[in-house]
Amino acid sequence: MDVMTIFDAVITIFGVYMIGAALKMKKTGEISSAVITAEEIRKCKDKKGFIAFIYWKEALFGALIVLVGILGIINDQVVSLGAFNIVEMLVFLAAFLWFQSQLRRARERFL
């Protein structure tokens, strides 16, 4: 097992965690500390609004990360998809930056 396979497995697990955290946040009505700090949670003016704004974006981010991780594992273990590792890193970075910008917007609106 090479380093990229381990990296892809970690990415996949991270994506599953993000999806789970988003769904739990929606179900319980409590903001996940995976998204913002406990101090920020206490300062939140509208928890329901924050959750409604961010939960589906967090779930989408997680799903994209799971997809990238699984495709990376397939690339490493089953069939080589060429320079997919570079594309994987770029997609991961773009998704991360998008989610961070959405999180910043949520902080500005609800904290």
Side-chain angles (χ1 to χ4, degrees):
M1 186 178 291
D2 65 2
V3 173
M4 284 310 292
T5 303
I6 294 169
F7 182 69
D8 292 329
V10 169
I11 286 175
T12 304
I13 292 167
F14 173 67
V16 170
Y17 176 77
M18 292 301 285
I19 293 169
L23 295 176
K24 181 180 177 187
M25 200 167 42
K26 176 68 174 168
K27 183 179 178 182
T28 64
E30 293 297 321
I31 299 172
S32 171
S33 61
V35 185
I36 59 175
T37 65
E39 180 181 314
E40 290 175 316
I41 292 171
R42 285 191 297 274
K43 290 193 296 186
C44 186
K45 300 170 191 164
D46 180 11
K47 285 185 179 185
K48 288 183 181 182
F50 181 89
I51 291 169
F53 181 83
I54 204 71
Y55 92 91
W56 69 270
K57 295 172 184 177
E58 182 180 1
L60 179 65
F61 171 65
L64 183 60
I65 297 307
V66 167
L67 180 64
V68 166
I70 290 172
L71 288 175
I73 291 169
I74 291 170
N75 179 53
D76 295 337
Q77 299 297 318
V78 179
V79 62
S80 179
L81 302 173
F84 184 75
N85 289 337
I86 295 169
V87 173
E88 176 184 6
M89 293 302 292
L90 292 175
V91 170
F92 180 85
L93 182 60
F96 180 77
L97 292 174
W98 170 78
F99 182 67
Q100 289 303 310
S101 72
Q102 295 304 307
L103 195 53
R104 184 173 2 104
R105 285 180 58 207
R107 282 182 173 120
E108 290 169 357
R109 250 172 105 176
F110 300 104
L111 299 183

